[in-house]
Structures are given as structure tokens and as C-alpha cells.
Amino acid sequence: MSKMDIEQQNQLIKEAAAYLLKKIKSHYGSDDGFQPQALIICGSGLSGISKRLSREQKPMSIPYSEIPGFKSGTVAGHSSELVFGVMNNTPVVLMKGRLHGYEGHALHETTFPIRVLHQLGTVKTLIVTNASGGLNRKIKECELVCLNDHISLPGMTGNNALVGPNFDEYGPRFLAISDAYDFGLRKLLFQKHKELGMERKLHEGVYAHVSGPTYESRAESRFLTSLGADCVGMSTVPEVIVARHCGWKVLALSLITNVVVLDPPSSVFAENPESLTAGKADHEEVLRNGLKASADVERLLEEVVGHL
């Protein structure tokens, strides 16, 4: 992206923010009638979080297609709309449907909504959810992982969300992300998990970010495990980086929707070869398991949001 492109992006960001502020004023009655404190990005099968918004305080949905500069998603399990509302007495905005690089979107397009919402002036926290594959064998299907770090293979090989001229008015050229996942928010998540008496296990771990859209090969999965990754997915990290560039706090929660195959394939000389299809991942499984655990994710995040 050139300097001219950055200027055009900044103009588009401001146009989109002005559009949202106009819609907020129309819906809630004044410029300061609704001031969202947090953005919640809903991962695959987890958009039911919107059911936790107060019906009495008039949620407002805006399709991405109506917002200047917003792209629409194409993946099953992701709708394409912003939803403004109040959750547990806290004004929030939900992204029901995220954008992915593998859909053909540039990273500045997938993270565009974060910069737009930053322009509203009140959003200071990102709560990001995702469906991911389990690498750590101590973490089972349909369990939860609070992210405390990440490994981004695309980012380490030149496809970082901040590549190109810097958005100077948002953050520094060289951004430290060793503190990307806020300690206080992680502690709050575990506290609320305990208070709710939730049977579904909550772990802490490292997320491996890959570009997709193919699921990882067996050898790639063993490689990621050797690097210290506990789960793997195709999103989240670009959003986290841009949110941190904006100075937001970040909480990230992964739902393990499938256990990744790690064992090497059977040798052609094996007398009793194992099936290559055993444990094979598919998107329908991701969505099914997302639905199984969605109620717990919704309850947990509702409690966290109430204490921001």
C-alpha cells in the first residue's frame, strides 16, 4: 500500500465512521446516546452471542454492504453485519462475520472495521473469538483456550497486518506485541469461568495463525506443535495486531472444534495401514461443534463484558 493509498484509506475510514455515527444518532436519539466500549468479533458458529444483547435497549444491525469501505464475507457460519447493543449493562458492538485473507481480501480490508470503530472514540477493548484446531493433546474437542500468545507464520514471512506505510495517527511504526493479550482480561475470564461453575474446560495457550484455506497437513501440524502452538486457525492475529496498534486491550478465546491429525500417514509397506481419512477436518464439523459450545461461550463473555 502506497502513501497515497494510506490517505485514501484514512478518508474512507472517516467516511465509514461518520456513517455509523449518523446511524447511531438516528437510532438512539443523540450523538452520545450510545457509546460502545468493546468490539466482539464472532468466530465460526459463535454469532449467537448477539442473543445476549438486551432487547429493551434497542439493538441495531447494519449490514456490511451498507457501510462505506466494508467488504462482505463469503464463509458459511459467518454473516456480514455490525450489531450495536447493550450486553450486561455495557454498550458493545458485534462483528457477526469476520473477513479472511483466504477469501481474497487484503489485510487492510480484513482489519478495516477495527480502524473504523476506533474512530468512534469510545471502543477500547477487543474481544475476539474463533474456532480452531487442537494441537495440544491435553486439550479436547469442544474445550476452550484463552490465548496468551501467538505464532503468525504469514506475519513472519511478510504478510503482517501493518506492512506498508504506517497509519501514524493510530499507532507507532514498530509495534511491540509481546503484551498483546491483556493479563487483566485473561484473569477476569478465568475468574468468571470459575464463578459460573462451568464444566467445559478453559485452558491457556498459544495460537498458531496460518493463511488457509486448506487445513494443515500432518507434517505442518507436527511442525506447529514443535514450535509450541496449542491450537491453530486462519484468523484473529491480524485483528489483534491492528487493535493493539490502536491502543486497545485484547482478549482472545478459541473454541477447539476439531483435534488436528498429527500422526504420520501409514507407510505403503505397512501390513495394516490406517485410513488417511481418520480425523480429517471439515467445515461442517467446525460449525457443529461451535454450536455445541456456543451457549457456554456466550455466558462467559456476557459475564466478562459486564466488568469491563
Side-chain angles (χ1 to χ4, degrees):
M1 187 186 297
S2 67
K3 186 174 181 180
M4 182 178 294
D5 290 333
I6 286 283
E7 292 172 356
Q8 292 173 343
Q9 275 290 300
N10 272 326
Q11 182 59 36
L12 197 54
I13 287 167
K14 289 177 172 61
E15 288 178 15
Y19 176 84
L20 293 180
L21 286 170
K22 183 178 179 181
K23 295 287 284 187
I24 288 170
K25 182 177 181 179
S26 173
H27 189 78
Y28 291 101
S30 68
D31 287 327
D32 59 358
F34 183 87
Q35 297 183 332
Q37 305 299 302
L39 165 63
I40 303 174
I41 300 179
C42 306
S44 297
L46 297 173
S47 60
I49 295 171
S50 61
K51 293 182 294 185
R52 299 282 169 168
L53 296 175
S54 168
R55 298 295 112 185
E56 296 177 359
Q57 292 167 292
K58 302 190 300 182
M60 174 180 65
S61 298
I62 307 175
Y64 293 170
S65 59
E66 295 181 4
I67 307 170
F70 270 59
K71 302 293 183 180
S72 294
T74 61
V75 181
H78 292 266
S79 57
S80 294
E81 60 182 340
L82 287 182
V83 184
F84 293 83
V86 176
M87 183 183 295
N88 202 0
N89 299 314
T90 302
V92 298
V93 54
L94 310 184
M95 277 182 67
K96 290 184 66 177
R98 57 156 47 96
L99 304 173
H100 306 81
Y102 62 72
E103 296 175 81
H105 301 299
L107 285 182
H108 72 268
E109 293 173 330
T110 67
T111 57
F112 181 81
I114 293 172
R115 296 203 187 278
V116 170
L117 292 167
H118 184 66
Q119 284 290 322
L120 300 186
T122 58
V123 180
K124 301 298 181 184
T125 301
L126 171 66
I127 298 176
V128 56
T129 67
N130 64 58
S132 62
L135 295 168
N136 186 332
R137 286 299 182 255
K138 294 180 181 178
I139 303 174
K140 308 302 181 185
E141 194 174 89
C142 292
E143 294 183 346
L144 305 174
V145 180
C146 174
L147 304 187
N148 59 15
D149 209 345
H150 68 243
I151 301 165
S152 176
L153 294 185
M156 295 174 72
T157 54
N159 202 19
N160 187 290
L162 300 183
V163 165
N166 189 50
F167 283 81
D168 292 326
E169 66 180 272
Y170 294 88
R173 167 74 284 184
F174 299 104
L175 176 71
I177 54 170
S178 53
D179 62 347
Y181 301 91
D182 188 78
F183 178 80
L185 291 177
R186 287 188 279 129
K187 189 173 181 179
L188 176 62
L189 184 74
F190 276 88
Q191 176 187 330
K192 293 304 172 184
H193 179 268
K194 183 177 181 180
E195 288 177 3
L196 289 169
M198 200 168 282
E199 292 184 9
R200 192 177 309 280
K201 288 187 178 180
L202 174 63
H203 307 265
E204 235 185 338
V206 176
Y207 179 84
H209 170 224
V210 296
S211 63
T214 55
Y215 293 107
E216 304 69 42
S217 73
R218 294 165 183 251
E220 289 168 342
S221 299
R222 293 196 300 277
F223 170 66
L224 294 174
T225 302
S226 74
L227 295 179
D230 297 292
C231 54
V232 57
M234 306 170 192
S235 65
T236 301
V237 171
E239 299 154 344
V240 168
I241 288 173
V242 171
R244 291 297 298 140
H245 194 244
C246 291
W248 296 6
K249 292 182 178 180
V250 173
L251 175 67
L253 184 65
S254 289
L255 167 62
I256 303 302
T257 51
N258 62 289
V259 175
V260 174
V261 179
L262 294 175
D263 297 331
S266 299
S267 166
V268 293
F269 300 106
E271 292 185 9
N272 299 299
E274 295 180 5
S275 169
L276 274 175
T277 60
K280 183 177 176 180
D282 66 82
H283 192 59
E284 287 70 26
E285 178 186 27
V286 168
L287 296 179
R288 281 196 306 272
N289 286 332
L291 289 173
K292 286 180 184 178
S294 60
D296 281 349
V297 173
E298 292 163 17
R299 289 171 61 217
L300 190 53
L301 293 186
E302 181 181 28
E303 286 298 313
V304 168
V305 165
H307 288 77
L308 293 180

